[in-house]
Amino acid sequence: MASAAPTPDQSQGMGGILGWIERSGNKLPDPVFLFFWLIAILVLISVIASAVDLSAAHPTEIDPETGNARIITAASLFSAENILRLWVDMPKTFTHFHPLGYVLVVMLGAGVAERAGLFGTAMRAGVRNAPKALLTPIVVLVGMLGNLAADAAYVVLIPLAGIIFHAAGRHPVAGIAATFAGVSGGFSANLFPGQLDALLFGITEAAVETVFGDYTANIAGNWYFIAAMTFVFLPVIWFVTDKVIEPRLGTWNPANAGRPAEDEQGDKPLTDGERAGLRYAGLAVLGVIALWLGFTFGPGTPLIDETASPEAQLNPFYQSLVGGFFLLFLLAAWAYGKGAGTITNHRDLVKMMSGSMEDLAYYLVLAFAAAHFVAMFSWSNLGLILAVQGADFLGSTGLPAWALLTAIILVSGLLNLFVGSASAKWALLSPVMVPMLMLLGISPEMATAAYRVGDGATNIITPLMVYFPLILIFCQRWDKGFGIGSLAAIMLPFSIGLMVSGLALTIGWVVLDLPLGPGASVFIDIPTAANAGGG
């Protein structure tokens, strides 16, 4: 990707609130070291909490001697027991971190789909022949669906949207902004669960288990909600693009164009091989769906537990979705690669699977730090104590569930301005937030859904978002004077629109008590000694 010379906006920074956010956020350590610093602070707090005998009544466990709720006291992480646990259990603490297994399995397939070219070709096919009247909603929809492709959506689709808007006689930066809003602002919106669901629900599972014991996350637990987000966000981004941003940008002036970018050829027609690959991939997807339907409803029904209660019979099916998405991505990628010529033999496939693991190198380091933070939070009992006392306080306020979730969305959106990683933020928030809401009768799935709304809405205005500089370069391809302040300014209306519509969707969903996904609801029975455990 060709880079442009720094503009005054870039070299001198921004003023106002966005400048403060940029300067403050840049002073924070990398998320990995942020967790290490938080662990150090956690150790200190645990020592003080233990010294003052901070305690709370366990919500689900009974003391057999008294017949009353068991009293949980804060445990010092500097105690001999916890020091021993830290060093002896370090491998287990890391490898038993639930998001790790979920993400590694799904990425083994999704990484191949990206390397084989399936994601990039599918996105090109989806937008390059779009009718002019429907150009904006099509690129936005493909952008939101492109979340399944992770990095490919940023690297392939966003610059391509600029080229396509230019070819249609529209302002190229408007196309980039609309697609950035779809890919990153609508980060959680999609018609299907995918990698992000596996990642976030793995963290949610770990958070529940710190207080309530065994729990199995359902990665389809937000399916209906994220599908609704797609249809709610689409008209919002469409309206902001066509009625607010593009009129503000005016007519594109070729004299302002920067240096040509390497993505200039991104709008080339699909080759015969690519078209054949897409057909083969489609057949592979249908085959995997048919296979899973056979596993679920066929002879023996291996993915249905007929001995369980009616509401739990489909739990094996939900638990199989991580493996299902792995197989779906892998076989679709292999089929595409055979048709397009990007995979010639099984060695190419293995090489691409290995490469997808290389992409996760940073995530593995982050997961190591996050796993120990979550585990040590549990060992100290501070998560449980804060959840119980926080739930008691919130319960005493009498606030309805929608108001509590509104606050969580706003806090998540604010924190997102300073900590860009979705998984890092949820690993920080979930150990207290999820159990606390459960004690108020709000499900882990609803807590996760609320977090996703707040996280996505402010992705597109924080300079700390990892792809923000890349999007700036895409814009400078068409306007060499376009600075970081310019990008933040044109994305702010999208952010406001997504936040308002996301809040409205969440409030409506809670008030109407709609199912969040198969087997997942907004409310749950408040955990007690009689109904705790399971999941």
Side-chain angles (χ1 to χ4, degrees), residues 115-489:
R115 281 169 168 71
L118 172 59
F119 287 148
T121 301
M123 287 186 287
R124 282 172 51 216
V127 302
R128 69 175 311 273
N129 292 319
K132 288 186 178 181
L134 297 176
L135 184 56
T136 301
I138 288 175
V139 298
V140 172
L141 178 61
V142 174
M144 287 190 282
L145 298 182
N147 292 331
L148 296 172
D151 294 353
Y154 290 95
V155 177
V156 175
L157 185 60
I158 293 177
L160 178 59
I163 296 170
I164 291 173
F165 265 58
H166 173 242
R170 300 180 59 180
H171 202 296
V173 174
I176 292 172
T179 313
F180 184 32
V183 173
S184 194
F187 189 55
S188 283
N190 213 300
L191 298 181
F192 308 99
Q195 303 169 54
L196 183 62
D197 296 81
L199 173 61
L200 294 182
F201 274 107
I203 296 173
T204 301
E205 180 175 319
V208 176
E209 289 187 343
T210 61
V211 175
F212 300 111
D214 289 344
Y215 171 81
T216 300
N218 168 12
I219 73 163
N222 283 170
W223 191 344
Y224 305 155
F225 186 82
I226 64 174
M229 286 173 67
T230 306
F231 293 107
V232 169
F233 287 175
L234 180 60
V236 170
I237 299 175
W238 186 0
F239 175 83
V240 172
T241 302
D242 290 1
K243 301 301 182 182
V244 180
I245 298 304
E246 195 161 14
R248 179 179 180 275
L249 290 171
T251 303
W252 179 65
N253 183 357
N256 293 333
R259 294 168 54 190
E262 294 174 5
D263 54 66
E264 184 69 32
Q265 300 302 316
D267 193 33
K268 62 185 179 183
L270 268 62
T271 66
D272 291 340
E274 289 171 334
R275 284 192 288 268
L278 289 178
R279 288 195 299 271
Y280 297 161
L283 292 174
V285 168
L286 293 176
V288 173
I289 292 173
L291 180 65
W292 242 249
L293 289 175
F295 287 154
T296 307
F297 302 109
T301 59
L303 295 184
I304 293 182
D305 183 359
E306 297 179 346
T307 64
S309 58
E311 64 273 13
Q313 287 187 356
L314 281 174
N315 280 349
F317 170 77
Y318 302 143
Q319 295 167 18
S320 76
L321 290 177
V322 172
F325 282 117
F326 156 70
L327 192 64
L328 182 76
F329 287 131
L330 182 66
L331 294 185
W334 198 347
Y336 171 83
K338 283 293 185 181
T342 55
I343 297 178
T344 57
N345 54 50
H346 72 279
R347 299 184 191 280
D348 291 338
L349 186 71
V350 173
K351 184 177 181 181
M352 291 179 181
M353 294 176 76
S354 301
S356 67
M357 293 298 97
E358 293 174 5
D359 290 344
L360 289 175
Y362 176 80
Y363 174 74
L364 292 175
V365 179
L366 177 63
F368 177 82
H372 281 83
F373 173 78
V374 172
M376 293 174 73
F377 210 60
S378 174
W379 301 344
S380 70
N381 291 328
L382 289 174
L384 170 61
I385 294 170
L386 291 174
V388 170
Q389 296 186 352
D392 288 343
F393 170 75
L394 291 176
S396 68
T397 66
L399 290 173
W402 64 263
L404 297 176
L405 292 166
T406 295
I408 286 169
I409 290 171
L410 295 175
V411 169
S412 300
L414 180 63
L415 183 59
N416 191 38
L417 296 174
F418 302 95
V419 182
S421 168
S423 58
K425 287 191 300 296
W426 191 224
L428 287 171
L429 294 173
S430 62
V432 172
M433 184 184 296
V434 173
M436 181 176 68
L437 291 177
M438 289 179 70
L439 291 171
L440 294 172
I442 299 173
S443 70
E445 291 84 2
M446 189 65 244
T448 308
Y451 166 74
R452 299 173 78 159
V453 172
D455 172 64
T458 53
N459 266 341
I460 50 181
I461 59 170
T462 171
L464 301 179
M465 191 267 180
V466 291
Y467 284 104
F468 203 84
L470 181 63
I471 306 305
L472 180 62
I473 291 174
F474 292 153
C475 292
Q476 290 174 342
R477 154 68 184 90
W478 304 99
D479 184 350
K480 59 179 177 290
F482 205 85
I484 196 169
S486 306
L487 180 56

Side-chain angles (χ1 to χ4, degrees), residues 57-63 68-72 211-213 528-529 532:
H58 198 291
T60 64
E61 295 183 6
I62 299 296
D63 186 337
N68 297 321
R70 187 164 69 89
I71 301 300
I72 301 298
V211 175
F212 300 111
T528 64

